[in-house]
Amino acid sequence: MNLKSLLARPFAFHIHKTIRKSMQTAVSDQETIFKNLIKVGKTTRFGNDHQMQNIKTHADFIQNVPIRDYEQFKPYIELIKQGKQHVLWKGKPIYFAKTSGTTSGIKYIPITKDSIPNHINTARNALLYYMAESGNFAFAQGKMIFLSGSPELERVGGIPTGRLSGIVNHHVPKYLRTNQMPSFETNCIEDWETKLDKIVEETIHENMTLISGIPPWMQMYFDRLIEKTGKPIAEIFPNFSLMVQGGVNFEPYKQKIYKSIGKEIDCLELFPASEGFFAFQDNPHEPGLLLNTNSGIFFEFVPANEIFNEKPTRLTLADVKVGENYALIISSNSGLWAYNIGDTVKFISTNPYKILVTGRIKHFISAFGEHVIGEEVEYALMKAATEDQIKITEFTVAPNIAQGKGKSFHEWYIEFENEPTNLTEFALKVDNYLREKNVYYNDLISGNILQTLSIRSLQKNAFIDYMRSIGKLGSQNKVPRLSNDRVIADALEKYTK
């Protein structure tokens, strides 16, 4: 065991103990965070606009501060860009995290001196907790990589601005710099494929022990390594023992990724976003992510079917129930107030508070009133694929609305690694599993309003080619699993077999 592994042990056990303790104080920690946020918030322009000086309870907060998305926050962000202080939080943000919005174009999410520890410390704590829980300290001895965006920052309104992963890169502790891959210069390459080739070149002969990123982009990295060497990843990196991933549901990628590695290794799931680091997997062998309840973020939960209501129900942590699907709403020391981040979650435990990320509010199909969500389509496809030993590379689903005669249906665009021998039978199996998960969809099929789903098989690398064609081929971009329109589906038509 080298010095870094040795020094990590007492720190890991200290963090483990602290987090275990916070599991029992989650509700009271949230109450304290709420009071502290209001105390600062009432000194800001936003607080003055929303009479925060009168807010004493959560009920007052609901009355005074409506749920917002980025478009409704934008006027305040524009004031910050103009150099104004004390707009959403005290002073000015130290960074803007630049991210793409579905309807808002580029979004600029403030990161403050008070909120940056949430991003940095939670990532660190997730790894230290894993060390103490698993006993795996060995990965600290080798090289680690996070497939991320460029660390180069621009200035917007005088504020350093860039991808969250690029901002975090500037805060990697000095003692880990010698372990970090790839080089700063390589990380700054904008073109993803050029960057990926350079990453392969830099890492192929290194002792890689931890690899982290969004699953489809990790798979591309693995594919390039295998093409270059003809060996599985476990032979190229024999000491590779921990994979860290997030951003999309891992299950559709899991089988292929483990096949590429050549063995199963521990996999740790994280739930970070530009708006905050919300949760992490506390046990790699159990489902669910531990909600980050004591890190400057106050959580509210809106029943997902109410999120578009004028006055939806807004629950605190103390009120949530296991198995319900909630839209996640946050207020934080970055200056976001009752902010709808666009994700839906479901609690699988309230002791401790553990969640599954079930999808995106805007990524659903309800062209016919069925409101099918990401969790449901992923379940249906993976259950059928597992039974038939089919491997899925990527997929997306869109409505196909009948023009004239015939019935409407859901159209699935799937890139298979190995295609079913009978695509029609496979589609029917997926359809049946989806009907099990969604009663509204089942009613539409049973009532002959919709016909059963149809699958379009895509050429190899179809999704990579599609993302390249729209200029979004890169480690931070993901293909939506569900769309309520046919923009993506129509673009994929030219890649069908």
Side-chain angles (χ1 to χ4, degrees), residues 201-396:
E201 182 184 318
E202 286 187 2
T203 58
I204 196 166
H205 300 299
E206 295 287 348
N207 177 31
M208 303 303 301
T209 54
L210 180 150
I211 297 172
S212 177
I214 296 173
W217 308 115
M218 282 199 292
Q219 184 64 63
M220 282 186 73
Y221 173 55
F222 292 160
D223 289 345
R224 294 286 173 96
L225 286 163
I226 293 167
E227 285 170 17
K228 203 168 184 70
T229 64
K231 298 176 182 178
I233 303 304
E235 287 187 29
I236 303 169
F237 305 135
N239 295 318
F240 175 32
S241 62
L242 178 62
M243 180 167 50
V244 181
Q245 57 83 21
V248 297
N249 182 6
F250 184 52
E251 282 302 313
Y253 304 97
K254 185 176 181 179
Q255 194 175 19
K256 186 177 180 183
I257 281 181
Y258 280 134
K259 182 184 177 185
S260 298
I261 296 170
K263 65 177 183 180
E264 288 205 10
I265 62 169
D266 281 352
C267 180
L268 201 62
E269 183 179 355
L270 308 180
F271 185 14
S274 299
E275 296 87 352
F277 206 132
F278 305 126
F280 65 89
Q281 193 171 7
D282 60 319
N283 186 326
H285 307 296
E286 293 180 1
L289 309 178
L290 185 68
L291 195 66
N292 198 10
T293 54
N294 193 20
S295 187
I297 299 172
F298 175 70
F299 295 101
E300 294 178 276
F301 305 90
V302 172
N305 59 358
E306 294 186 30
I307 191 58
F308 297 114
N309 293 359
E310 187 177 342
K311 291 187 176 180
T313 305
R314 292 164 63 175
L315 306 174
T316 65
L317 194 65
D319 305 314
V320 297
K321 295 179 181 178
V322 170
E324 298 280 338
N325 208 34
Y326 297 111
L328 188 61
I329 311 298
I330 67 158
S331 300
S332 76
N333 52 14
S334 67
L336 297 176
W337 299 98
Y339 185 87
N340 179 2
I341 68 164
D343 286 304
T344 56
V345 301
K346 178 169 68 178
F347 282 88
I348 61 168
S349 166
T350 53
N351 185 24
Y353 287 95
K354 294 177 72 168
I355 60 171
L356 295 176
V357 182
T358 53
R360 297 280 297 166
I361 290 165
K362 293 181 180 178
H363 293 172
F364 63 90
I365 297 180
S366 199
F368 316 103
E370 66 276 38
H371 207 90
V372 169
I373 62 174
E375 179 191 30
E376 294 164 344
V377 298
E378 286 166 352
Y379 165 85
L381 180 59
M382 297 323 297
K383 189 169 176 61
T386 300
E387 286 180 6
D388 291 2
Q389 297 183 312
I390 301 299
K391 295 183 180 65
I392 309 295
T393 300
E394 189 58 277
F395 75 97
T396 193

Side-chain angles (χ1 to χ4, degrees), residues 81 93-99 106-109 111 150-164 166-167 170:
K81 287 184 188 179
I94 59 173
Y95 297 105
F96 276 134
K98 185 178 177 181
T99 183
I106 294 174
K107 299 192 292 184
Y108 296 93
I109 306 298
I111 296 177
S150 171
E152 286 192 311
L153 304 179
E154 58 182 329
R155 285 191 173 264
V156 174
I159 296 170
T161 301
R163 292 281 194 178
L164 175 66
I167 292 168
H170 290 271

Side-chain angles (χ1 to χ4, degrees), residues 395-444:
F395 75 97
T396 193
V397 187
N400 189 313
I401 300 172
Q403 306 297 321
K405 291 184 178 180
K407 299 189 188 81
S408 301
F409 57 93
H410 286 188
E411 196 160 27
W412 294 52
Y413 290 78
I414 304 179
E415 183 182 333
F416 294 97
E417 187 178 339
N418 61 312
E419 190 170 316
T421 51
N422 190 319
L423 201 57
T424 303
E425 287 182 6
F426 182 76
L428 188 58
K429 184 177 283 192
V430 174
D431 195 80
N432 286 333
Y433 286 133
L434 184 57
R435 292 174 69 177
E436 285 179 12
K437 291 293 281 186
N438 187 302
V439 64
Y440 304 109
Y441 181 73
N442 181 58
D443 289 346
L444 290 167

